[in-house]
Every structure is written in C-alpha cells, then in structure tokens.
Amino acid sequence: LSGDINEEVDTHNRMLERMGNDMDASRGVLSGTMDKFKMVFETKSSRRMFTLVASFVVIFLIVYYLTR
C-alpha cells in the first residue's frame, strides 16, 4: 500500500512540476503580449484603431449572443 502511495505522490509531483513550467511559459507569452499592447497605446492613431477594432468585436459578440 505504501508503494502505491509513493507512486501516486511521485506522479502528482511530476504533474505539478509540468504545470509550473507551463505557467512560466504562459507568463512569458503574456508579458510579450502586454509589451505589444503598451506599444500600441503609445501612439494616438494606434489607440484609435484599437478602440475601433475592440468596438467591432464587442458588437459582434453582442449580436452573436442575441441571435443564439
């Protein structure tokens, strides 16, 4: 019984380690995305374009959920 418990603990530890590595990779991707957003918001024309695109996305989602 203790051998089975040891196997289960080892399996969970490996799973948690992989999950931690995946979270670190996600954090790196997210920080890169945030850097790109900061760069977009630095210029007024880019900010205006982003607002326009975001508005279209929101309107699309509202229409989608209303027709669903």
Side-chain angles (χ1 to χ4, degrees):
L1 181 62
S2 64
D4 290 340
I5 292 172
N6 184 34
E7 268 184 54
E8 190 71 25
V9 167
D10 287 341
T11 302
H12 283 116
N13 282 339
R14 283 192 301 272
M15 189 180 348
L16 287 171
E17 187 174 332
R18 280 193 308 253
M19 196 180 328
N21 292 339
D22 290 343
M23 291 299 287
D24 288 340
S26 298
R27 188 174 303 132
V29 170
L30 185 60
S31 69
T33 303
M34 291 305 294
D35 290 340
K36 289 178 184 177
F37 272 123
K38 286 177 188 175
M39 197 168 63
V40 165
F41 281 118
E42 285 177 357
T43 61
K44 281 189 172 187
S45 63
S46 295
R47 190 178 317 147
R48 189 175 298 152
M49 181 60 78
F50 177 77
T51 305
L52 183 65
V53 170
S55 300
F56 280 125
V57 169
V58 169
I59 290 170
F60 174 78
L61 290 175
I62 290 172
V63 169
Y64 174 76
Y65 283 114
L66 288 176
T67 59
R68 207 171 143 214

